[in-house]
Amino acid sequence: MFDEPLAEAWKLRYGTEPPDLPDLGKFMHHRSVRRFKPDPIPEEMLQALVAAAQSAATSSNLQLWSVISIQEPDRRDQIAKLCADQRQVKSCAVFFAFLADHYRLKKAAEKQGELAEGLGHTEFFTMAVIDASLAGERMACAAESLGLGICYIGALRNDAQGVKELLNLPEGTFGIFGLCIGWPEEPLRAHIKPRLAQSEIWFREKYDRDVDTSEFDERMSQFYEGEQMKGDLLWSRRSGQRVDLNHMTGRETLLEWLQGQGFLER
Ligand SMILES: Cc1cc2nc3c(=O)[nH]c(=O)nc-3n(C[C@H](O)[C@H](O)[C@H](O)COP(=O)(O)O)c2cc1C
């Protein structure tokens, strides 16, 4: 899987000839996979994936994250419904729900007579989201290195209360994204997707406020055309629409819900 030569992967990302690259393994080959074979992932492989996730760096070793794997077909149907009924949530071999998690540390600290009152600050919400994201991405990279395909699922946040009820989440926890993992369907239909030129996201010494995404718009339009994508093919307009007020998909009330869970009090 993901067997393009590295130079080819660079061209697909940036539309330019690559510099003299060091061996990056499969780090440039990621693409989201949404069609999977029905084959299961062996238990030892799942343990290895969780070990990879736990090997990510974590702020002050607080480990403010947890993960719940969902494999029972019934429960998979239920979580898929909460995630806009996306096919890959049902068809992947394992679905992991990644949580920002203050609950465990609060309980452990309280046993030692510590009140852990700082956890209500925005800082510790940010920390938990960073920790969970680093763990998720390390699991994703490990999975891809084993020949598995992955797809993140932000739609886990569409109905935070529904997810809380289904997964029996206590206060101080929040399902921030899902991660579908499985054996990619063959032949592989997922392609390496272009990214902005490095000069648009990598500034040297200080921020460059000149934004020019026209070159990327052009490359993305060609990519979308190749994928027979419907709707607007201009990335900057399409992405602008994605962040307008009509596309919040239930997430517009997240702040209040998070505060009810004990996050973001100040
Ligand atoms: C946090 C996060 C949430 C995402 N949520 C979804 C989702 O709900 N459904 C989906 O099909 N793809 C989802 N994606 C995948 C993105 O659409 C995808 O990464 C992006 O279009 C770039 O494509 P690539 O991953 O193939 O390079 C998500 C990605 C991230 C990082």
Side-chain angles (χ1 to χ4, degrees):
M1 211 199 43
F2 298 4
D3 48 10
E4 299 90 348
L6 186 56
E8 177 63 16
W10 178 283
K11 278 191 227 164
L12 292 165
R13 280 279 180 246
Y14 297 123
T16 58
E17 289 299 320
D20 191 9
L21 293 169
D23 181 6
L24 278 172
K26 296 286 181 194
F27 276 99
M28 278 195 62
H29 287 72
H30 160 77
R31 75 227 47 197
S32 294
V33 172
R34 298 181 176 88
R35 291 172 185 273
F36 296 100
K37 292 186 206 163
D39 308 6
I41 300 175
E43 173 65 22
E44 314 77 64
M45 212 180 248
L46 294 178
Q47 289 176 16
L49 291 175
V50 173
Q54 284 194 281
S55 299
T58 153
S59 316
S60 303
N61 205 19
L62 298 183
Q63 305 175 66
L64 295 175
W65 68 281
S66 297
V67 69
I68 299 180
S69 56
I70 301 155
Q71 283 177 290
E72 283 175 25
D74 230 32
R75 296 180 55 75
R76 191 69 78 74
D77 283 351
Q78 292 176 58
I79 197 85
K81 279 205 184 79
L82 293 169
C83 296
D85 242 336
Q86 296 186 67
R87 176 184 44 201
Q88 65 272 27
V89 176
K90 275 190 233 176
S91 65
C92 63
V94 60
F95 179 82
F96 284 105
F98 276 81
L99 313 179
D101 188 347
H102 287 178
Y103 180 82
R104 176 179 47 247
L105 176 60
K106 192 162 197 305
K107 288 286 159 199
E110 280 172 354
K111 279 190 191 159
Q112 304 302 326
E114 295 293 337
L115 297 179
E117 290 163 315
L119 286 174
H121 274 276
T122 300
E123 162 60 7
F124 288 105
F125 176 72
T126 309
M127 218 182 241
V129 170
I130 294 171
D131 274 11
S133 304
L134 295 181
E137 180 60 5
R138 191 155 283 243
M139 181 184 278
C141 290
E144 289 177 344
S145 75
L146 294 171
L148 292 156
I150 70 106
C151 183
Y152 281 100
I153 299 294
L156 191 70
R157 301 186 299 277
N158 286 5
D159 181 353
Q161 181 62 23
V163 169
K164 172 178 166 164
E165 286 163 17
L166 181 66
L167 303 185
N168 194 28
L169 301 185
E171 75 271 17
T173 59
F174 166 41
I176 63 169
F177 56 81
L179 189 61
C180 303
I181 307 187
W183 302 104
E185 186 189 76
E186 285 168 312
L188 187 62
R189 284 196 236 179
H191 302 114
I192 289 181
K193 197 183 267 188
R195 294 287 193 266
L196 289 158
Q198 291 195 352
S199 57
E200 287 300 311
I201 61 103
W202 175 14
F203 310 129
R204 304 198 189 233
E205 311 307 333
K206 51 189 174 173
Y207 200 92
D208 178 356
R209 299 184 188 201
D210 287 337
V211 172
D212 181 1
T213 60
S214 53
E215 178 274 335
F216 183 62
D217 274 330
E218 177 68 37
R219 270 192 294 129
M220 273 311 289
S221 294
Q222 284 168 15
F223 178 83
Y224 286 145
E225 259 171 48
E227 301 270 298
Q228 278 144 30
M229 186 79 103
K230 295 191 190 89
D232 206 313
L233 299 190
L234 204 64
W235 174 85
S236 47
R237 195 158 47 226
R238 198 182 170 90
S239 302
Q241 287 160 2
R242 170 65 185 79
V243 297
D244 69 20
L245 291 174
N246 299 318
H247 291 87
M248 289 305 298
T249 59
R251 303 181 207 175
E252 56 275 18
T253 55
L254 256 188
L255 179 61
E256 292 79 11
W257 185 86
L258 285 166
Q259 287 172 334
Q261 280 291 93
F263 292 110
L264 293 170
E265 286 165 351
R266 49 200 174 273

